[in-house]
Amino acid sequence: MNIGTFRMVYEETLFAFGKLLLLYITIPLLLLWLFIGYFFNLGEDVVAAISGPTYFFILLFAINGFKTIFPVAIGMGSTRINLLKTFYVVGLASVLVITFILNVFQWILLTLYERWNVAAQILHPATFLNREYTFLSYYLIDFMLGIFTFSFFFLFYTIYYRLGFRKCVIWLMLFVIIGTLLKYSDLMNFSIWEWLVTQNFHDMVIFLFSFVITISLIALFITYHIMRNAPLTAKSKKD
């Protein structure tokens, strides 16, 4: 792994997640909800949310991070393959760290709300499956969804980069038409979401985690083959 390329990707990640996300957004949000919880009487209908910006920044980094680094790294002598491998390693490690820090903040918020007898709920994806909180299970869900967001939005970006806007719209509409026909022709009447919410969350979390991580890594593997010989400029919007 090229040291110059690693440092470039690392510094971009540190700025996006460490400075912008944590220092300027997530920590102020945490302090705001702690202040509101301590001084105001919050009911059960109130939902404290500090996780939204994390997912948005993971999405943003998957697209804009690579877009910013790509021409600069190649111009400084890095190869596409080396840049991709560095981006994968640093990106996945960043998601691992940032979701852990997020869950520490959520644990602090939950612990203090319980101590202060605050009835407000904490917004978290795991609550749609099971409302019982454990740090590990909630962290696994955040990490899983973070990897999924990073992998698939980077995949969508690389497809757009290589195909262009017009071809992407054509393929998107083709998938929409096929999916609509399958749904209303009763060929695909099984609802994954309905099945998920009927399962015991603690019994299936490892299976769900393994499945989502696997398909996310497959998505990254596809991006490698899409971008390893990519030109320096993306297809135009007219292509």
Side-chain angles (χ1 to χ4, degrees):
M1 187 179 292
N2 184 279
I3 296 178
T5 304
F6 175 82
R7 183 172 181 179
M8 186 182 304
V9 178
Y10 171 76
E11 289 181 352
E12 180 73 19
T13 308
L14 188 63
F15 175 76
F17 291 128
K19 192 171 185 179
L20 290 181
L21 175 61
L22 287 181
L23 189 60
Y24 293 164
I25 299 177
T26 308
I27 293 178
L29 272 179
L30 172 65
L31 296 176
L32 172 64
W33 280 112
L34 289 175
F35 178 85
I36 293 174
Y38 186 79
F39 288 102
F40 297 91
N41 184 22
L42 301 181
E44 293 183 356
D45 57 327
V46 177
V47 179
I50 64 172
S51 59
T54 299
Y55 287 105
F56 175 75
F57 268 77
I58 292 174
L59 179 159
L60 190 66
F61 178 74
I63 298 175
N64 196 60
F66 187 84
K67 179 181 178 181
T68 303
I69 296 169
F70 183 45
V72 179
I74 300 301
M76 294 179 61
S78 177
T79 65
R80 289 160 176 78
I81 292 176
N82 183 58
L83 174 60
L84 284 168
K85 291 179 179 179
T86 305
F87 188 72
Y88 297 150
V89 171
V90 177
L92 294 175
S94 299
V95 173
L96 175 71
V97 173
I98 200 67
T99 51
F100 179 80
I101 296 174
L102 171 65
N103 274 270
V104 171
F105 289 163
Q106 290 178 143
W107 174 80
I108 292 172
L109 190 59
L110 278 166
T111 302
L112 292 179
Y113 271 16
E114 289 178 359
R115 181 172 298 179
W116 298 337
N117 294 318
V118 178
Q121 305 295 317
I122 306 297
L123 180 64
H124 193 280
T127 59
F128 294 100
L129 298 174
N130 190 301
R131 291 187 177 276
E132 183 180 352
Y133 173 80
T134 63
F135 181 88
L136 180 59
S137 62
Y138 272 46
Y139 170 59
L140 288 178
I141 290 294
D142 270 324
F143 175 64
M144 175 188 73
L145 293 179
I147 294 297
F148 182 86
T149 302
F150 173 76
S151 302
F152 276 88
F153 275 93
F154 185 50
L155 175 61
F156 296 151
Y157 169 73
T158 58
I159 293 173
Y160 174 82
Y161 188 93
R162 296 304 302 269
L163 293 182
F165 179 77
R166 182 172 61 88
K167 290 181 180 178
C168 283
V169 170
I170 292 173
W171 278 103
L172 177 62
M173 286 309 303
L174 181 62
F175 284 124
V176 169
I177 291 171
I178 293 174
T180 304
L181 290 175
L182 287 174
K183 179 174 178 60
Y184 289 102
S185 62
D186 291 331
L187 294 176
M188 194 177 66
N189 56 7
F190 176 72
S191 174
I192 295 178
W193 177 253
E194 290 179 1
W195 177 79
L196 283 175
V197 296
T198 60
Q199 306 302 307
N200 186 296
F201 177 73
H202 295 288
D203 291 341
M204 66 173 296
V205 65
I206 299 300
F207 166 77
L208 185 63
F209 177 82
S210 302
F211 175 75
V212 174
I213 293 297
T214 300
I215 63 173
S216 299
L217 294 178
I218 291 173
L220 287 181
F221 180 74
I222 295 172
T223 64
Y224 173 80
H225 290 280
I226 293 175
M227 295 298 292
R228 65 178 181 176
N229 295 312
L232 281 176
T233 56
K235 289 280 188 178
S236 66
K237 291 185 176 181
K238 295 181 179 179
D239 290 333

